[in-house]
Amino acid sequence: MSGEEKQNGSLREYYVGVDLGGTKMLAALVASDGSIIAQEEIPTLAKQGADSVLDRLGSLIEGLLAASPGGRGIVRGIGVATAGTLDTAKGVVTLASNLGWRDVAVASVLSDRFACAVRLENDATAAAAGEWLAGAGEGSPDCLFVTISTGIGGGIISGGRLIAGTNHNAGELGHISIDGNGMLCPCGNVGCLELYASGTAIGRRGAEHVRRAAEGASSHGALARLAGGDPDRVDARLVAAAAAEGDADASGILREAGRALGIGLVSILHLLNPQVVVLGGGASHIGEPLLAPMREIIEERCLPSIRSQVRFVASALGSSAGAVGAALLMTRNDN
């Protein structure tokens, strides 16, 4: 039967979920219970233009389905998660700087090609849905997903409902201001959380240290050595590696970033009172050098009645969270 099958006496449906990023796109065939049947990732090649990217995405999906029992007829719908400003009702990416897109009708292109329903969703919201419906936050009606990566983003589930906002931009956690007199953010706000606690922020601080060391204004430790004295080689991973070797300056950078993350999360916890906070994104893998200072700030500053009810857990789906969430949102009527 099209898009569904019986397994152990129950009906299963299948959807395709896509996480469309500026550098790579991931497509997954996902069952209605959230299990990944198959997935594949390829470079986006955004510079080739929207038509080329969408054609390659279509070919990626076709290849995924060709290798699956039932082929194209197995799919009930396609969910696409991507960054940028979206018109979700029309399925249009109105502006995506990471792709160089303006007014690209993603849903209609894919719907015409595959003759099925297509839903467009904010990437962080989709990842939150994936973790909530089939990952680390499963079963929690009040769940917050926080991704700590190039920037900081997130998604919100409250009262068993996905909170997407008027135009599906809710969860811009990285642009909560933690310093009213802080640095100017490209978003127009000042003192944004991601300026202090993201992977980019950690890398920037590390590069500044290496630059000062090269000028003789700072000590030469593991960070400068690992970078070969080149500030342009420094990223969050290198800072974490230097901290693991005992570099005090690198450890200090991670501690300051962790404390900044904690300051931002205190406000978010006070606002949302979640049961579970799922931490994802590449920088979250730094682990305790970043997360222990975060927890210290939360312990010091968060209201006990809210703090005592929340658990912090690592993402269970990793880089597949957005694709899984985009697929599973096809089964729901959230927003």
Side-chain angles (χ1 to χ4, degrees):
M1 54 184 68
S2 177
E4 57 193 34
E5 67 175 19
K6 291 275 189 177
Q7 185 176 56
N8 299 324
S10 61
L11 198 64
R12 295 181 95 197
E13 297 181 336
Y14 296 89
Y15 301 85
V16 169
V18 174
D19 190 345
L20 176 58
T23 58
K24 61 187 178 181
M25 59 175 86
L26 183 150
L29 180 63
V30 181
S32 54
D33 62 2
S35 57
I36 298 173
I37 308 305
Q39 70 176 26
E40 188 175 349
E41 180 180 290
I42 62 173
T44 303
L45 305 181
K47 290 183 178 180
Q48 294 184 2
D51 290 343
S52 176
V53 169
L54 290 177
D55 184 61
R56 293 179 70 251
L57 175 57
S59 297
L60 173 64
I61 295 171
E62 286 176 346
L64 195 69
L65 298 178
S68 303
R72 290 175 63 138
I74 201 172
V75 177
R76 292 290 296 269
I78 299 171
V80 179
T82 191
T85 304
L86 313 177
D87 184 335
T88 55
K90 296 180 179 178
V92 174
V93 176
T94 55
L95 180 65
S97 57
N98 65 328
L99 292 166
W101 286 7
R102 185 182 293 273
D103 297 326
V104 177
V106 173
S108 64
V109 170
L110 294 178
S111 180
D112 289 346
R113 185 163 178 169
F114 292 95
C116 67
V118 178
R119 171 173 174 158
L120 191 64
E121 186 55 79
N122 174 276
D123 57 350
T125 300
E131 291 290 349
W132 170 47
L133 295 171
E138 189 173 5
S140 302
D142 296 281
C143 175
L144 176 68
F145 173 74
V146 181
T147 177
I148 313 162
S149 188
T150 303
I152 292 178
I156 303 163
I157 290 88
S158 182
R161 180 178 173 82
L162 181 68
I163 306 301
T166 300
N167 60 352
H168 288 231
N169 284 311
E172 287 287 354
L173 308 181
H175 296 291
I176 291 174
S177 180
I178 64 169
D179 183 353
N181 297 308
M183 294 181 284
L184 177 65
C185 181
C187 79
N189 194 7
V190 297
C192 287
L193 175 60
E194 69 176 41
L195 295 176
Y196 302 89
S198 65
T200 301
I202 292 168
R204 185 185 66 247
R205 290 288 311 283
E208 290 170 356
H209 169 76
V210 171
R211 189 174 294 109
R212 290 195 304 271
E215 295 169 351
S218 182
S219 60
H220 285 263
L223 181 55
R225 175 175 52 78
L226 291 173
D230 183 359
D232 293 335
R233 293 181 57 188
V234 180
D235 58 12
R237 291 180 184 177
L238 203 69
V239 175
E245 290 193 15
D247 188 306
D249 293 303
S251 296
I253 290 169
L254 295 179
R255 179 168 178 78
E256 287 187 22
R259 288 176 62 84
L261 182 61
I263 291 168
L265 282 174
V266 166
S267 295
I268 295 165
L269 295 178
H270 286 168
L271 179 66
L272 298 173
N273 188 26
Q275 291 174 306
V276 177
V277 176
V278 180
L279 298 174
S284 71
H285 300 311
I286 291 172
E288 287 303 287
L290 180 71
L291 302 182
M294 175 200 78
R295 288 195 299 269
E296 289 173 8
I297 287 291
I298 291 170
E299 183 70 24
E300 291 173 8
R301 303 187 184 186
C302 189
L303 287 169
S305 59
I306 292 176
R307 184 187 68 230
S308 64
Q309 299 301 311
V310 66
R311 308 185 280 120
F312 288 86
V313 297
S315 165
L317 299 178
S319 61
S320 301
V324 171
L328 293 181
L329 284 174
M330 295 296 299
T331 71
R332 303 177 60 86
N333 294 317
D334 300 85
N335 295 282

